[in-house]
Amino acid sequence: MKDPRQTPVVQLVTQPGRVFRVAMQLTKGHLTRIYCKIRGVRLEAGKNLRVEGRLIIRGPGRVILGNNVRIGGVVTPWTYRTDAVIEIGDDSFVNGASFGAWQKISIGRRCILGRCHIMDTDFHSVSADRHKPDALVRVLQVTLGENVWIGANVGILPGTSVGQDSVVGFGAVCSGSYPSGVVIAGNPARVIRPIDETNGK
């Protein structure tokens, strides 16, 4: 049974400031859709997109946002090819994250992303001949599972996958595959310990 204290009418009376803020965020989300459509930006957003800060989309690829996605800070999903995709799942909160996608970046449902950098490409070759036009540049899909929390100043490098419910701590640099339900930290990032499913201790 739904809690009567959570009805819109009750919230309007008891929390008018919060209701006003949410309404403004939803309005800004709606205006963002219109602006992107006018500019020909390939944004596909589900219902209830909330924009608190700024959503700056650049590039020819697609940016797909699920339902109830919330944008805080300055979020920059940038793509570099027409078939590149950045996908963010339902109920996720993206707070100042930057993305660079040549192929695909996939973020699961209910994720929290701080001011991190997520890239599926190195942009330049790491070989000594990197200045040659045909130098090989690494491109590998990035995948974050459901309910993953990425802290501030984290680097998620090409080919990284993080299992559901895991937490990546401040300043970590992730490359490779990490399991579900763990705390990840360090440079290079490694598993520190498992998390508790109820209280995180």
Side-chain angles (χ1 to χ4, degrees):
M1 185 175 178
K2 189 173 182 179
D3 186 345
R5 293 172 298 179
Q6 300 303 314
T7 63
V9 174
V10 172
Q11 287 188 355
L12 183 59
V13 173
T14 61
Q15 305 175 54
R18 181 181 183 279
V19 171
F20 177 76
R21 285 193 301 272
V22 171
M24 291 300 294
Q25 293 161 13
L26 290 169
T27 300
K28 196 170 180 180
H30 183 66
L31 293 174
T32 299
R33 296 171 196 259
I34 295 172
Y35 179 69
C36 287
K37 187 174 183 179
I38 291 171
R39 291 178 54 228
V41 173
R42 299 172 69 193
L43 170 65
E44 302 171 28
K47 65 181 181 180
N48 300 326
L49 171 62
R50 291 170 57 184
V51 178
E52 300 175 41
R54 295 179 65 198
L55 180 61
I56 303 173
I57 302 173
R58 292 185 182 170
R62 292 191 301 152
V63 175
I64 303 171
L65 307 179
N67 297 324
N68 309 311
V69 170
R70 183 175 155 209
I71 302 294
V74 179
V75 175
T76 55
W78 294 3
T79 59
Y80 297 90
R81 296 177 63 193
T82 55
D83 58 351
V85 177
I86 298 172
E87 187 172 13
I88 299 173
D90 297 348
D91 305 305
S92 291
F93 176 38
V94 186
N95 188 24
S98 66
F99 303 81
W102 189 267
Q103 183 182 78
K104 186 173 185 180
I105 296 172
S106 179
I107 310 298
R109 296 175 59 253
R110 300 176 61 234
C111 287
I112 302 171
L113 306 181
R115 291 186 298 275
C116 59
H117 300 271
I118 302 177
M119 303 164 288
D120 71 355
T121 176
D122 291 328
F123 294 101
H124 304 281
S125 175
V126 297
S127 301
D129 65 352
R130 65 182 63 96
H131 294 287
K132 293 182 179 179
D134 60 348
L136 185 64
V137 178
R138 181 176 62 157
V139 178
L140 293 168
Q141 179 174 329
V142 171
T143 304
L144 304 185
E146 294 187 9
N147 195 35
V148 168
W149 177 16
I150 305 295
N153 293 347
V154 169
I156 303 290
L157 302 182
T160 298
S161 65
V162 180
Q164 69 178 31
D165 301 325
S166 287
V167 176
V168 181
F170 183 95
V173 178
C174 298
S175 179
S177 181
Y178 300 89
S180 300
V182 296
V183 175
I184 301 159
N187 181 6
R190 61 186 180 87
V191 174
I192 301 299
R193 60 178 174 84
I195 62 170
D196 187 282
E197 293 185 0
T198 55
N199 58 24
K201 292 182 179 179

